[in-house]
Amino acid sequence: MPVFVESGLDHLVKSKFKDIYEERIGLVINHTALTKNLDFIIDVFRKFGKDVRVAFSPEHGLMGDFPDGVKVKSYFNKDFNIDVYSLYGYRYEPPLHVIKDLDAVIYDIQDVGVRWYTFISTLYYTVKSCSKAGIKLYVLDRPNPVTGVKIEGPILEDDFKSFVGIFNIPVRYGLTPGELAYLYNVEANFNADINVIRLVGWKRKMWFDDTDLFWIPPSPNIPTFITSLVYIGTCLFEGINISTGRGTTKPFEYIGAPWISPKKLVSELNKLNLNGVMFRPIYFRPFASKYSGEKCGGIHIIITDREKFKPLETSLHIISTIRKMYSNKFEWRRVGEEYWFDKLIGNSYVRKMIEEESSVDDIKDKWMKDLNRFKEKVKKYFLYT
C-alpha cells in the first residue's frame, strides 16, 4: 500500500503558512506545483493572502507544454493574472531587478533525480540569484522519484559544465530538491538564506509509487515515474544518432534507428545477462526528434526488478553493443565542436573508452573512487533517513 506523504506545499497548507511570513512573493514553478487536491500553487498562495507578484518558469514553460530545448519567451499569463519570466530562453537566472522587489522567492518543481534534467540547473541559478539579492529562498520539497539511496555514475568534470550539467555531482545524485539546494549553497559558496519546507512521511528508500502522491509528468517525454528511471541511462542516446522514442507512447523506453535489426540486437544484449532488465525486439515510428516519421528497428527496455536494475550501466552496454554491431552507421552527435554525449555524461573518457572497446566494468571502475567520495560527503545534506 502507498505510504502517506505530504509534499512541502501540502505541509505548508496544512500548517496554514506558519513558516512563511513574507508577503511579496515570487514563485519558481511549473505545472507540477500542485497540492494533493490538485490546487495550483499560485491559487493556494493567494488564498492565504500572499501577494504573488511574479512567476519564473523552467524548461518546458509554466504549464509544461513546450518541447525539450525550445526557448520560451516571458509573457503575461491571463489565466493566473501574473507576469511569467522564462528561465529557459534568454536568461537562466531570475533577474535581480525583479527579485529585489520581493520579500521571498519560493521554489516548487518536481524533479526526476538525474543531473542532466535542467530543472536542477534552474534551482542552482535560483539559489545564486537569491544570494546576490539578499532575499530569502524557500524550497518546498518533493520526493526524488528514483529513491534517495541509489547514487550512480561519474561526477561531472569542470570542463563539461553546461545547463545539462551545472554542478559536480553524479548522474544519479540521490537528493531531493531541498537537499540539493543546501548542497549548492554550501559547495558553491553562495551563502543564501535558504529554508526547506520538508516532506512529511518520505523515506530515502522510497520509490515514487511507494507514496500516495500523484505523478504529474514534469515534462512531455517523462509520462511516468518509470520513464524517469530508464531516463537515467537512455538520455545518453541523445548524444548519438539513435532515436529515444520521442513522440511514441514509450519515450526513453524505446531505443532504435532505421538501420538496426531488432532481433539481432536483442540476441546480443541477452548474452550479457544484465540484472533487473529484459529487452523486447520492436519496430516503432518516432514522431519527434531523430528519424521523425521513419520506421525504426530497436528495443523496448523492460524493467523486471528496479532494485537490481542499473540504468546507466545498462545503457552503456547497449551503446557499446550497437557501436560494435553497426560501426559503419553509428555516430556521435556534435553540437558545434563539442560532443553532446560528453556534455551529458560529464567527461570525455567514457566516449573514448567505448571507442577503444573497453568493458563497461572498466569504465565504471574509472569513476568509482570519486563516486564513493561523493557518497560520503553528501550525507551531511540529508534531511531524511
Side-chain angles (χ1 to χ4, degrees), residues 124-125 127-128 131-132 167 184-192:
Y124 175 91
Y125 282 114
V127 175
K128 182 179 181 181
S131 174
K132 289 180 181 178
F167 204 69
Y184 287 157
N185 201 35
V186 174
E187 301 295 331
N189 296 311
F190 288 143
N191 299 312

Side-chain angles (χ1 to χ4, degrees), residues 144-156:
N144 186 319
V146 292
T147 83
V149 296
K150 295 181 180 294
I151 298 176
E152 298 180 58
I155 307 297
L156 178 80

Side-chain angles (χ1 to χ4, degrees), residues 200-365:
V200 176
W202 187 77
K203 303 294 183 182
R204 306 203 74 80
K205 66 180 181 180
M206 287 182 178
W207 300 88
F208 193 87
D209 64 354
D210 290 327
T211 78
D212 65 345
L213 299 172
F214 292 117
W215 178 258
I216 307 299
S219 59
N221 282 286
I222 307 289
T224 71
F225 101 87
I226 289 297
T227 315
S228 68
L229 176 56
V230 180
Y231 176 78
I232 295 168
T234 55
C235 184
L236 288 176
F237 287 87
E238 302 280 28
I240 54 183
N241 61 334
I242 292 177
S243 170
T244 54
R246 289 183 180 273
T248 71
T249 58
K250 296 288 185 181
F252 295 105
E253 297 178 54
Y254 286 177
I255 299 296
W259 34 268
I260 288 177
S261 168
K263 290 184 69 175
K264 290 181 179 178
L265 178 56
V266 167
S267 177
E268 290 300 312
L269 292 175
N270 283 340
K271 294 176 184 178
L272 300 174
N273 294 314
L274 301 178
N275 289 327
V277 64
M278 295 178 67
F279 306 99
R280 179 173 72 93
I282 59 168
Y283 287 98
F284 65 94
R285 293 181 187 272
F287 289 98
S289 192
K290 288 169 283 185
Y291 308 120
S292 179
E294 295 186 51
K295 182 179 179 180
C296 292
I299 56 173
H300 178 192
I301 299 170
I302 299 175
I303 300 171
T304 58
D305 186 335
R306 64 192 184 188
E307 296 292 344
K308 295 180 179 179
F309 176 57
K310 296 182 178 179
L312 188 63
E313 290 179 43
T314 297
S315 286
L316 291 178
H317 278 292
I318 298 169
I319 291 169
S320 181
T321 300
I322 292 175
R323 185 182 176 277
K324 290 175 184 176
M325 291 177 65
Y326 301 98
S327 58
N328 61 329
K329 296 285 188 179
F330 182 98
E331 294 177 359
W332 303 104
R333 293 181 66 201
R334 289 178 181 264
V335 177
E337 296 299 315
E338 298 176 314
Y339 289 101
W340 190 242
F341 182 92
D342 294 358
K343 287 288 187 183
L344 293 170
I345 199 66
N347 59 67
S348 60
Y349 70 77
V350 172
R351 172 179 52 81
K352 291 175 181 177
M353 291 181 76
I354 291 173
E355 290 175 342
E356 295 165 358
E357 300 191 358
S358 299
S359 71
V360 173
D361 284 343
D362 286 344
I363 295 172
K364 180 182 173 183
D365 285 346

